[in-house]
Amino acid sequence: MNLLAFLVWMQVARTEQRLFVIVSASQTLTDVSTTDLRGIYLGQVTRWPSRHAMMPVIPSTKTRSGEAFMRRLMRMAELDYVQHWIGVVFRGQAASAPLVAGSAEQAARFVAAHPDAIAIVGEVPAEKNVRVLTVDGKLPDAVDYPLRW
Amino acid sequence: MATARIDLAFMFCSVPTDVMRRLLLLLAFLTAGRAFAEDALRPPPRLHFGGFADGIARDESTNVVALDLFSTLRMSNSWTGLVEVVGQKTWRSGENSPEQSEVGLERLYVSYRPSDYFRLEIGETHTGIVRWNEREHRSRFLQTPIDVPAIARRPQDDGAWPLRFVGVWASGRARGSLGLTYEIGAGAGPGTERDEIPIFSSSRSPAGFVAMSIAPENFPGFETGVSVYGQHVPTKPNALRERDVTVFMNYVNRGLEVRAELARMEHDFTRIPTTFRNEGYYVLLSKRLGGVAQRARPYVLFDHVNIDAADTYLRNSASENAWAAGIRYDFTEHFVVKSEYRSQRARDGSRQPITSVQLSVSF
């Protein structure tokens, strides 16, 4: 019975995917809605409440978290996402496409050093100068956390 | 069809070959640059250069080679500038018609954006009266099919709707579940010549524009809206009033793309009770395939425009009733090949089949 429970736990652990939204510890923001999050990563929401321009960072699509970001949050293929951003920049709606981080640590280092950055990562980074946001008021540990699949 | 294939092969072996070689070299260079850029996480530069290169080969129709270059400059947190220049060369295969080349300024504006609720642009930009034009601007790389729908063609390409504009433009997006956006513009539109925007001469054409759209949060990928444009054109001997209304609907989600737009244009003489009505629409359906075919996106486009033959202001525009089916194949995010079959009504009323191939690069 214990072996069966362990195998079930292993399967759940292998397939469960969570994404975390991190910002600089100097940001006053503590929560973000999924609507705004999609807006930020589609180039529709570009400003912090302080009116500073955001610098969005995404996980590389070569990682599991990057795949989940594209498929679950953006609901589009990587090709379409890249071309969407070519259009956003071409139309003058944003200065540049999101930066692509190869790892959660790399994203966290960048966010810690740039107060206007916001990143989506697949694991909670060890970096101290960043804060994990709640999404739609839910903590990442909550069962109904929106970025948990 | 055998003739068509030979013509296409001939075109690929002659003029476009050089273009294709240059495009592929450019692609290799840019791809290497981007791979390097991904390793280093740095803030984006203040000055950004980009562009698109297109080569379109058609049998028994107009071939196109176009280069679209743009640059954006982030001057401060709120101020940015954009300049776009387009060069294009067109010629017809199988005929001794002369080649036509043009290089022109497409957009030049300064933008002030203190928040997402408000953005102000001053300069030469696109009207947005036809959403396709607003969405794609000049680049054919970004659009799924090869051809631009008839209502979104530029006046230089015999299009009827006023796509460019010089003036002041305010736009913004309200936060909330409705995804409401607005646009308001005032300035000068096309003058007595449809493809020119006079600013300092007596043929200046005052114009205004209002648009609203919504993208509801609980219907991801769906967007719909309406645009209204009006202008006074000092044509002689009678001046014209123009009123344009367009309604659009887009649904882009999980690889599916549905775009539809209905446009109506009315011209009234200011002193004579005469009204000319012109209207058009397009419907585009496309779907990115899955699995090993995920780089392919088959599509079908229905394209219709009806120009009042008595409307002399649109004497260079013609009615059109066409459909096109094709496939877009994305070799990379920045290199696309499209192949299309189009059936359209010629000026003599007969159906004209056109086969086209496009190579397109973004950088």
Side-chain angles (χ1 to χ4, degrees), chain B residues 20-287:
Chain B
M20 279 192 294
R21 194 182 301 125
R22 290 179 188 185
L23 290 180
L24 289 170
L25 280 172
L26 186 62
L27 175 72
F29 173 75
L30 293 166
T31 307
R34 281 171 196 279
F36 173 77
E38 240 181 58
D39 293 338
L41 211 55
R42 298 193 189 97
R46 286 182 174 274
L47 185 62
H48 173 88
F49 290 99
F52 304 93
D54 288 311
I56 303 173
R58 296 190 177 98
D59 62 316
E60 298 177 25
S61 187
T62 307
N63 302 297
V64 180
V65 175
L67 185 64
D68 185 336
L69 300 172
F70 74 98
S71 176
T72 57
L73 173 64
R74 190 160 44 88
M75 294 175 274
S76 72
N77 188 59
S78 301
W79 288 91
T80 55
L82 185 147
V83 59
E84 181 187 5
V85 177
V86 176
Q88 180 173 289
K89 181 177 176 181
T90 58
W91 73 99
R92 288 183 72 87
S93 54
E95 289 182 14
N96 291 324
S97 61
E99 296 178 351
Q100 290 187 333
S101 300
E102 59 166 306
V103 178
L105 181 69
E106 188 69 15
R107 287 183 292 165
L108 174 63
Y109 65 77
V110 174
S111 163
Y112 173 66
R113 187 180 196 174
S115 74
D116 288 323
Y117 310 117
F118 182 74
R119 179 184 180 191
L120 191 71
E121 292 172 18
I122 302 168
E124 179 165 356
T125 185
H126 288 184
T127 61
I129 182 64
V130 177
R131 192 71 175 192
W132 186 285
N133 173 66
E134 172 65 19
R135 192 174 65 86
E136 307 299 350
H137 291 270
R138 280 298 303 281
S139 165
R140 294 175 190 240
F141 173 90
L142 293 170
Q143 67 185 36
T144 300
I146 292 178
D147 278 315
V148 176
I151 61 170
R153 281 187 200 142
R154 296 189 315 152
Q156 292 91 325
D157 298 327
D158 300 339
W161 269 259
L163 304 184
R164 281 162 60 229
F165 170 91
V166 177
V168 182
W169 198 265
S171 61
R173 172 179 291 270
R175 286 196 182 177
S177 59
L178 199 57
L180 179 70
T181 67
Y182 73 88
E183 294 175 65
I184 301 171
T192 50
E193 294 299 323
R194 197 64 175 167
D195 55 357
E196 289 178 8
I197 303 177
I199 306 297
F200 302 110
S201 74
S202 59
S203 60
R204 185 173 53 247
S205 178
F209 173 84
V210 178
M212 293 191 84
S213 71
I214 56 167
E217 174 188 331
N218 52 9
F219 195 178
F222 178 79
E223 184 184 17
T224 186
V226 61
S227 307
V228 179
Y229 176 93
Q231 68 172 15
H232 176 90
V233 189
T235 48
K236 291 174 181 171
N238 295 304
L240 277 176
R241 266 194 304 263
E242 177 171 329
R243 289 189 303 273
D244 303 340
V245 179
T246 59
V247 180
F248 79 92
M249 185 281 293
N250 294 333
Y251 180 68
V252 182
N253 196 12
R254 298 188 188 279
L256 179 66
E257 178 187 28
V258 181
R259 298 187 191 278
E261 187 158 10
L262 178 66
R264 184 167 186 169
M265 173 194 293
E266 286 187 357
H267 285 142
D268 295 326
F269 282 124
T270 52
R271 293 181 184 169
I272 307 169
T274 305
T275 300
F276 305 109
R277 289 192 177 87
N278 310 287
E279 56 192 15
Y281 68 83
Y282 65 80
V283 178
L284 171 70
L285 305 167
S286 81
K287 177 80 172 81

Side-chain angles (χ1 to χ4, degrees), chain A residues 22-24 27 48 53-57 107 110-112 114-119:
Chain A
I22 59 171
V23 297
S24 165
Q27 276 288 346
W48 291 105
M54 289 178 171
M55 278 194 282
V57 180
F110 184 80
V111 169
H114 297 88
D116 292 329
I118 179 170

Side-chain angles (χ1 to χ4, degrees), chain A residues 35 46-47 83 91 93, chain B residues 77 113 116 135 217 330:
Chain A
T35 303
T46 65
R47 304 284 156 161
Q83 289 168 1
R91 287 189 289 275
Q93 292 171 352
Chain B
N77 188 59
R113 187 180 196 174
D116 288 323
R135 192 174 65 86
E217 174 188 331
D330 296 89

